[in-house]
């Protein structure tokens, strides 16, 4: 019997892969385009800046992003207040003609730690306006519950601070988040630095990962994008296959029953 396709649905859209790719800080538009193709990205994220939305200089970039043929997830990167994030989301919906918004409300400058109180407040406001909100959050279980109560149907917990490349800083917290919300799509967002980090997140049972800096700032972004695509696929397949549990003692691979002992 053929295996049913392993697809991921975010709100009403079915993704073709489990890798989301950011579009910032690439050496050139050409390398960005090649990286998106190499990653087989399911979604590309775009940070909306108020000052560029109406400028002609930005229109070429928006056209390039649309040419990728994958859904665009605008985000409120750089917003430090509820008002700023909500206003940016409204502008993004008008510009990109999508109800999707990756909601970021930053509370601390050095770590770019989410302002979780502001995040919940902004999510409530945007859901009432019929946005489909994907909040960038921490692995905190209470915050996650509040965001789901607000009407978010997807969560995007960080692995580590944005751009840090540190990987999974709090495996226990991420594992607990996955266990508490088994039916909610969870996308690990921020802090992944290498393909092995992405594979580890997928092996924990997370549904997808979002990568930006680790690809854009690599020595060869296109090659790194392809490597992340393979890692995400391998991690997901390993999770579905059912990894053996970690053990404190060795377990022989050769059974002792029936083994001949020579005196």
């Amino acid at each position: 019997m053929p295996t049913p396709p392993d697809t991921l649905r975010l709100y009403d859209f079915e993704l073709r892969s489990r890798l989301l790719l950011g579009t910032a800080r690439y050496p050139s538009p050409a390398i960005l385009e090649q990286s998106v193709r190499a990653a087989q990205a399911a979604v590309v994220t775009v940070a909306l800046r108020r000052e560029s939305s109406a400028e002609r200089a930005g229109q070429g970039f928006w056209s390039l992003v649309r040419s990728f043929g994958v859904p665009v997830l605008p985000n409120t990167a750089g917003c430090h207040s509820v008002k700023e994030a909500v206003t940016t989301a409204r502008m993004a919906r008008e510009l990109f003609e999508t109800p999707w918004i990756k909601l970021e409300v930053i509370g601390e400058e050095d770590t770019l730690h989410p302002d979780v109180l502001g995040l919940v407040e902004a999510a409530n406001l945007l859901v009432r306006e019929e946005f489909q909100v994907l909040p960038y959050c921490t692995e905190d279980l209470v915050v996650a519950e509040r965001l789901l109560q607000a009407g978010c149907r997807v969560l995007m917990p960080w692995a580590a601070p944005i751009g840090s490349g540190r990987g999974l800083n709090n495996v226990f917290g991420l594992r607990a988040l996955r266990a508490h919300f088994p039916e909610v799509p969870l996308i690990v967002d921020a802090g992944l630095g290498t393909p092995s980090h992405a594979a580890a997140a997928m092996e924990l049972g997370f549904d997808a990962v979002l990568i930006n800096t680790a690809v854009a700032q690599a020595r060869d972004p296109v090659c790194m994008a392809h490597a992340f695509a393979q890692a995400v696929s391998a991690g997901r397949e390993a999770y579905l296959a059912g990894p053996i549990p970690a053990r404190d003692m060795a377990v022989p691979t050769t059974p002792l029953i029936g083994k001949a002992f020579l005196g």
Side-chain angles (χ1 to χ4, degrees):
M1 179 180 296
T3 303
D6 177 39
T7 57
L8 173 62
R9 181 172 290 274
L10 301 183
Y11 288 97
D12 298 323
F13 193 87
E14 194 170 274
L15 303 189
R16 68 184 188 185
S17 81
R18 292 174 179 266
L19 177 57
L20 291 69
L21 197 65
T23 56
R25 303 184 67 187
Y26 286 80
S28 71
I31 290 178
L32 167 60
E33 181 174 9
Q34 293 171 39
S35 298
V36 171
R37 308 297 183 199
Q40 301 177 40
V43 172
V44 293
T45 66
V46 176
L48 180 69
R49 298 296 183 184
R50 283 188 248 188
E51 64 270 20
S52 67
S53 61
E55 292 178 358
R56 292 188 178 184
Q59 297 310 307
F61 179 74
W62 308 141
S63 298
L64 173 66
V65 170
R66 288 192 180 99
S67 74
F68 298 153
V70 298
V72 175
L73 174 61
N75 67 54
T76 63
C79 293
H80 289 75
S81 70
V82 172
K83 181 178 180 181
E84 188 179 12
V86 170
T87 300
T88 302
R90 290 168 178 161
M91 294 175 63
R93 178 162 63 181
E94 181 177 347
L95 179 63
F96 291 102
E97 300 178 341
T98 176
W100 276 19
I101 191 71
K102 180 192 169 191
L103 179 61
E104 297 184 27
V105 183
I106 301 303
E108 204 281 323
E109 194 63 40
D110 290 335
T111 63
L112 301 180
H113 194 294
D115 174 356
V116 294
L117 300 180
L119 183 66
V120 172
E121 182 182 347
N124 272 288
L125 292 171
L126 291 173
V127 169
R128 289 174 197 161
E129 296 183 19
E130 299 185 347
F131 279 88
Q132 295 177 350
V133 180
L134 295 84
Y136 163 64
C137 58
T138 66
E139 67 277 19
D140 187 283
L141 297 177
V142 177
V143 172
E145 184 64 46
R146 296 293 184 271
L147 290 168
L148 295 173
Q149 290 173 353
C152 300
R153 290 162 51 188
V154 180
L155 300 177
M156 303 184 74
W158 68 350
I162 294 172
S164 67
R166 294 180 58 86
L168 308 183
N169 259 3
N170 184 1
V171 174
F172 173 82
L174 291 171
R175 197 189 302 274
L177 187 69
R178 178 72 284 175
H180 275 72
F181 305 106
E183 304 301 324
V184 177
L186 300 178
I187 301 171
V188 172
D189 173 19
L192 301 181
T194 64
S196 62
H197 295 158
M202 298 302 293
E203 288 172 4
L204 288 177
F206 283 83
D207 296 285
V209 299
L210 171 59
I211 310 294
N212 193 158
T213 306
V215 170
Q217 298 293 289
R219 185 172 62 251
D220 185 338
V222 178
C223 183
M224 186 63 78
H226 182 248
F228 267 103
Q230 292 179 303
V232 169
S233 179
R236 178 63 180 175
E237 191 169 348
Y239 170 73
L240 294 176
I244 65 171
R247 302 182 176 102
D248 292 329
M249 300 293 290
V251 177
T253 56
T254 302
L256 297 177
I257 298 176
K259 179 180 177 180
F261 288 89
L262 301 178

